[in-house]
Amino acid sequence: MRPAGRRTTGGSVASLFRLTAGHRRSIAVATGLTLAASAVGLAQPLLARRVVDSGARGEVLWPYLLLLSALFVAEAGAGATGRFLLDRMGEGVVRTVRHGLVSRLLRLEMRELDRRRRGDLVSRVTADTTLLRDVVSQALVDLLTGCLVSAGALLLMLWLDPLLLLLVVATVVLAAAVVTTLLKGMRKASEQMQSSVGAVAAELERALGALTVVRIYRAEEREARRIGARVDSAHGAGVRAAKLAAVMSSAVELAVQGSFLLVLVVGGMRVGSGGAESLGDLVAFLLYASYLVMPLSSVFRAIGLIQRGTGAYLRIDEVLALPEEPAQPPALAIPGPPPPGTPPALELTDVRFAYVPGRPVLRGATFTVPRRGLVAVVGRSGAGKSTLFSLIARLHDPDAGIIRFDGRPATALSRQECRAGIALVDQNTHVLEGTLRENLTYAALDATEDDIVRVVRLARLGDVVRRLPGGLDGRLGDHGGTLSAGERQRVALARALLARPRLLLLDEHTSHLDAVNETALTEALGAVTRDCAVLVITHRLATVRHADRIVVLEDGRTVASGRHDELLAGSPAYRELAAHLPPPDCCGG
């Protein structure tokens, strides 16, 4: 729960001002220039007063007119320079915030990331920060300078004519009361609009990510209506915010224009009746009354913009407050030297885990993976096989039990240390937008051309290289859209092999391969296991039969382990599984 102060205008201003850390010098210079321009502007009515009175006395006017022109030029130059500095500062703040958001999102705890919609998170990096830029580059300084300039104008008006000032203050206070009543609704409408924009991005990302399914099942109109509902919600909130802003603007405009008319009528009557003030005084007062329009408008506009920006800031701040993966192990868990002898590459002891408390997925997984050879994990769907890989890759941490890498507890190592020796090919076969070469070398940026040729041969990607325009430097499209499912799987496998890991994790790595490619890759893995440990999840009998050890997982527990023939003879659970494993010549398409 956020502190209540952040929901008030003062709290919002303080929170937004903290974002400008590192840019305070630019803000000070820009504010100084803006105030200087405003001071020059405040001097102009006094000079105009002198021109009017001097003209009435028949004095020479051109020096005053020349000075007045110089003041106009100085005001424009100082104002333009200050505005540029503020805009540049706003871009700098947004860059810093976006860097922070991107860094946080890429390091979020997986549990937290799984609860969030990707499109909404992207919207916070793009749409919300864009609105924030307008707030920090305009609203904060406009609020400060507007208040100071308004105060200066009011003091000069007080000096010229206190009675006329009372008329101006009365109308301005009335406008301020109207604006104050609208601020809460403005903030609420803005928050709803930003949330709806994020929902639009999330729904669109959902539909585009499954566009094949959408089209095959003729759901374009249904998805368009679903996304359109979010668009309509954003539109409705935006219209409400615009309506409130229009009322606020009109209230300020009416107050200032009304006060101007009152001053003109009352002041004109006083001058006409031979009052104390001169025509020059009335002209100067009227100029200040009209001059008051800009700073007062900027103050009320800044307040409204801050209310809209608060919604964006809270959404950004929510992401920045989300927990990320700890970079280092606990201070008390400093890893010591590896144990004597040759410990296994991986060891799990009574590992337990639940994504949701009270609904365990793993209830006691125990097995080891030697430094060389292939270990297969088999079990029914939902037995916890893929969850095991998430724990081994340190995407999640077990609720109980111990995972050891080379004899060292995972909790005594940083995640980077654990992952440094791991490569993973999962069921999703992630292929990134870019070239084939960029995808292959993603985990091995210093790979040589010979290394790349080697993994291309092992993964049987020669036909892909020959087909792509540009060969290894040919682009694969978003999510590898130019490749078939089997080709994406081979690209992911080649990427993993190029990293030369100590532990290679394969999750259904042949599920999309035909029998010829599956046989070839199975033979290639035989060579790979001479250099590293391979842990594979599979439903393919060809892989299981040739594994050095098979681990049987049932309801989150390790119930048996051994070679294929041993388990057929001694494990009823494995015999039942083996009876349903696809035969070696079954292809996945």
Side-chain angles (χ1 to χ4, degrees):
M1 182 68 67
R2 298 266 181 246
R6 289 199 181 182
R7 292 286 182 173
T8 65
T9 301
S12 299
V13 170
S15 298
L16 293 169
F17 184 70
R18 281 195 289 271
L19 293 176
T20 63
H23 302 273
R24 304 285 167 75
R25 183 175 179 180
S26 296
I27 293 177
V29 173
T31 302
L33 287 171
T34 304
L35 288 175
S38 301
V40 170
L42 289 174
Q44 293 168 14
L46 294 178
L47 190 57
R49 171 196 180 198
R50 176 64 61 88
V51 170
V52 171
D53 289 342
S54 297
R57 292 191 296 266
E59 299 176 359
V60 177
L61 300 180
W62 69 264
Y64 300 112
L65 295 176
L66 188 62
L67 180 58
L68 191 60
S69 300
L71 290 179
F72 276 123
V73 174
E75 180 185 11
T81 304
R83 176 56 57 197
F84 166 73
L85 291 176
L86 289 175
D87 287 341
R88 188 179 67 175
M89 180 272 298
E91 293 292 345
V93 169
V94 168
R95 181 183 65 178
T96 301
V97 172
R98 283 174 175 166
H99 277 308
L101 283 171
V102 169
S103 178
R104 177 68 64 163
L105 290 175
L106 292 176
R107 292 171 172 82
L108 280 185
E109 284 188 354
M110 291 301 295
R111 288 179 190 262
E112 198 63 49
L113 189 60
D114 291 341
R115 298 190 189 108
R116 308 273 171 176
R117 303 194 69 180
R118 307 300 198 265
D120 181 60
L121 295 177
V122 172
S123 175
R124 299 184 194 218
V125 181
T126 54
D128 290 345
T129 55
T130 299
L131 178 57
L132 200 63
R133 177 191 61 199
D134 297 335
V135 175
V136 297
S137 67
Q138 297 178 25
L140 294 179
V141 174
D142 283 352
L143 186 63
L144 173 63
T145 58
C147 289
L148 292 177
V149 173
S150 298
L154 290 172
L155 286 174
L156 288 170
M157 293 165 73
L158 176 65
W159 173 62
L160 288 170
D161 195 320
L163 177 61
L164 293 181
L165 177 62
L166 285 177
L167 298 176
V168 174
V169 171
T171 56
V172 171
V173 169
L174 180 61
V178 173
V179 169
T180 301
T181 61
L182 299 176
L183 288 180
K184 184 177 180 181
M186 173 78 75
R187 181 168 57 241
K188 183 177 180 180
S190 176
E191 290 180 11
Q192 183 180 350
M193 181 177 67
Q194 293 301 116
S195 297
S196 297
V197 170
V200 169
E203 294 290 353
L204 187 57
E205 188 268 344
R206 166 186 173 273
L208 293 179
L211 191 57
T212 301
V213 175
V214 171
R215 290 184 175 176
I216 290 297
Y217 294 108
R218 307 171 305 285
E220 293 93 339
E221 288 299 323
R222 190 188 333 146
E223 291 296 334
R225 287 194 299 271
R226 181 187 179 101
I227 300 170
R230 301 292 190 178
V231 172
D232 292 342
S233 178
H235 170 265
V239 168
R240 285 194 296 275
K243 180 169 63 177
L244 293 173
V247 173
M248 287 174 55
S249 177
S250 297
V252 174
E253 184 177 349
L254 286 174
V256 175
Q257 296 298 334
S259 64
F260 184 86
L261 291 175
L262 284 173
V263 168
L264 181 62
V265 172
V266 176
M269 292 173 60
R270 294 175 66 190
V271 170
S273 62
E277 64 181 9
S278 68
L279 180 60
D281 290 335
L282 178 59
V283 170
F285 195 97
L286 286 171
L287 287 175
Y288 281 124
S290 63
Y291 192 79
L292 194 62
V293 174
M294 289 301 295
L296 276 181
S297 297
S298 68
V299 167
F300 289 117
R301 184 174 60 250
I303 292 174
L305 187 56
I306 287 171
Q307 296 307 312
R308 294 196 297 274
T310 299
Y313 172 76
L314 290 175
R315 282 168 49 81
I316 291 170
D317 196 39
E318 181 185 8
V319 172
L320 292 176
L322 294 177
E324 62 180 19
E325 290 185 341
Q328 298 296 332
L332 298 178
I334 300 175
T342 305
L346 176 69
E347 182 180 0
L348 281 74
T349 305
D350 196 27
V351 171
R352 301 169 183 269
F353 177 77
Y355 292 101
V356 179
R359 298 181 181 179
V361 178
L362 295 176
R363 306 166 186 267
T366 301
F367 62 89
T368 61
V369 179
R371 289 176 174 269
R372 305 287 183 272
L374 186 148
V375 176
V377 179
V378 298
R380 296 181 181 277
S381 296
K385 303 185 296 298
S386 294
T387 298
L388 273 177
F389 276 19
S390 292
L391 298 180
I392 295 169
R394 297 296 303 277
L395 301 178
H396 298 89
D397 285 328
D399 299 328
I402 300 175
I403 299 177
R404 292 183 175 89
F405 295 94
D406 298 323
R408 295 179 177 180
T411 52
L413 302 169
S414 70
R415 281 174 166 76
Q416 296 298 319
E417 290 173 314
C418 292
R419 294 168 183 164
I422 294 175
L424 170 65
V425 179
D426 65 8
Q427 298 180 61
N428 296 319
T429 59
H430 300 286
V431 175
L432 306 175
E433 199 286 326
T435 67
L436 177 58
R437 185 189 301 275
E438 289 169 343
N439 272 273
L440 295 180
T441 60
Y442 193 77
L445 298 178
D446 57 350
T448 66
E449 197 69 20
D450 290 341
D451 292 332
I452 296 174
V453 171
R454 178 182 63 86
V455 297
V456 166
R457 185 180 66 254
L458 286 174
R460 298 178 67 84
L461 284 171
D463 56 334
V464 176
V465 174
R466 288 187 292 271
R467 189 187 76 235
L468 281 176
L472 284 169
D473 296 310
R475 304 195 73 83
L476 303 183
D478 197 27
H479 302 294
T482 61
L483 304 178
S484 69
E487 289 169 342
R488 288 195 295 271
Q489 203 158 42
R490 282 182 276 158
V491 169
L493 180 59
R495 178 173 57 211
L497 294 175
L498 190 59
R500 295 186 181 274
R502 294 193 304 273
L503 175 62
L504 177 59
L505 306 177
L506 304 175
D507 187 354
E508 297 292 354
H509 64 289
T510 61
S511 59
H512 297 293
L513 301 183
D514 55 43
V516 174
N517 281 312
E518 178 183 2
T519 301
L521 288 181
T522 300
E523 293 174 356
L525 281 181
V528 172
T529 57
R530 292 196 289 268
D531 298 321
C532 73
V534 178
L535 180 62
V536 58
I537 293 173
T538 184
H539 291 94
R540 298 301 187 93
L541 187 57
T543 303
V544 171
R545 288 166 62 93
H546 295 94
D548 298 299
R549 177 170 291 274
I550 301 168
V551 176
V552 183
L553 206 62
E554 187 175 83
D555 197 24
R557 297 182 178 89
T558 303
V559 296
S561 66
R563 294 184 65 86
H564 175 66
D565 293 339
E566 296 171 350
L567 291 174
L568 280 178
S571 172
Y574 180 74
R575 282 199 299 271
E576 183 178 355
L577 283 171
H580 295 90
L581 289 176
D585 60 348
C586 178
C587 63

